[in-house]
């Protein structure tokens, strides 16, 4: 008589095992968005939210390629160079400036809601109002028409969406 086997777990994690898994556990390992995932760990407000099982979040994570193609690093702001010159990010004041800019970038991509419905206006942690639309079979974030390529992960406290570009964070 064949032994009774437990349900197969081949081909990927068992969906039931996602109970208790939070965004913070998976964002650094999520394919194509691990650069953004790393940034989320540097920003305390965001890192603690993504660990919090009692607060749902939709993370709008730009693809690695979109971040690498930015004309400047997410922690750089041309206004700082205007005001402080080429050494704007040197020393501890420079580090604070860079951290503040990175925080704005990351928080502009964090929606404190999940589920999030089409056309539902939400305020990101950075204070910007955004929404999404389904257009010709594609999901796009507005304003800016930024395409969502996929919903990469759904876990206990929300979802990670992968974006083809970055949202306005100025
Ligand atoms: C939180 O998000 C998860 C994943 O989308 C969802 O299953 C759950 O119902 C949400 N919880 C609340 C209170 O909306």
């Amino acid at each position: 008589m064949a032994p009774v086997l437990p349900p197969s777990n081949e081909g990927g994690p068992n969906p039931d095992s996602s109970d208790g898994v939070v965004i913070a556990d998976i964002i650094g390992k999520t394919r194509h968005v691990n650069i953004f995932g790393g940034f989320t760990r540097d920003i305390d407000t965001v890192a603690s939210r993504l660990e919090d099982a009692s607060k749902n979040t939709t993370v709008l994570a730009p693809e690695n390629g979109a971040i690498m193609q930015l004309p400047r690093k997410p922690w750089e702001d041309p206004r700082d160079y205007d005001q402080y010159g080429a050494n704007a990010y040197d020393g501890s004041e420079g580090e604070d400036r860079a951290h503040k800019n990175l925080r704005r970038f990351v928080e502009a991509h964090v929606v404190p809601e999940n589920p999030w419905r089409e056309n539902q206006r939400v305020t990101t942690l950075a204070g910007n109002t955004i929404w999404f639309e389904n257009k010709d079979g594609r999901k796009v974030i507005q304003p800016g028409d930024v395409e969502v390529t996929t919903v990469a992960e759904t876990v206990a406290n929300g979802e990670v969406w992968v974006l083809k570009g970055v949202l306005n964070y100025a």
Side-chain angles (χ1 to χ4, degrees), residues 56-57 114-115 154-159:
N56 267 12
T57 303
N114 188 269
T154 301
V155 293
N157 67 346
E159 294 177 325

Side-chain angles (χ1 to χ4, degrees), residues 1-145:
M1 203 172 101
V4 178
L5 297 173
S8 167
N9 196 23
E10 269 178 294
N14 183 333
D16 294 339
S17 70
S18 68
D19 287 350
V21 174
V22 292
I23 296 172
D25 297 329
I26 50 93
I27 185 135
K29 300 177 223 156
T30 303
R31 287 183 62 184
H32 311 307
V33 299
N34 55 310
I35 296 177
F36 185 83
F39 292 160
T40 65
R41 295 188 195 158
D42 291 334
I43 308 300
D44 292 343
T45 48
V46 173
S48 57
R49 181 169 185 107
L50 302 185
E51 281 167 17
D52 191 338
S54 71
K55 288 188 187 140
N56 267 12
T57 303
T58 305
V59 177
L60 304 175
E63 287 176 353
N64 293 341
I67 291 177
M68 289 185 302
Q69 278 163 26
L70 286 173
R72 55 177 195 272
K73 301 294 186 196
W75 56 86
E76 294 179 313
D77 184 334
R79 288 167 294 194
D80 291 333
Y81 288 121
D82 289 345
Q83 191 168 352
Y84 305 101
N87 301 326
Y89 300 111
D90 287 357
S92 66
E93 281 181 25
E95 271 178 41
D96 288 350
R97 234 170 259 137
H99 190 265
K100 188 171 87 110
N101 295 339
L102 184 65
R103 176 174 175 178
R104 191 170 58 227
F105 176 78
V106 173
E107 289 185 342
H109 292 86
V110 179
V111 171
E113 306 265 353
N114 188 269
W116 179 23
R117 296 185 322 274
E118 184 173 9
N119 293 318
Q120 180 189 352
R121 265 61 174 171
V122 292
T123 303
T124 67
L125 292 191
N128 310 40
T129 299
I130 61 171
W131 65 98
F132 75 89
E133 298 168 354
N134 291 309
K135 251 177 136 177
D136 313 323
R138 299 176 318 144
K139 192 179 278 203
V140 293
I141 310 286
Q142 302 292 9
D145 242 341

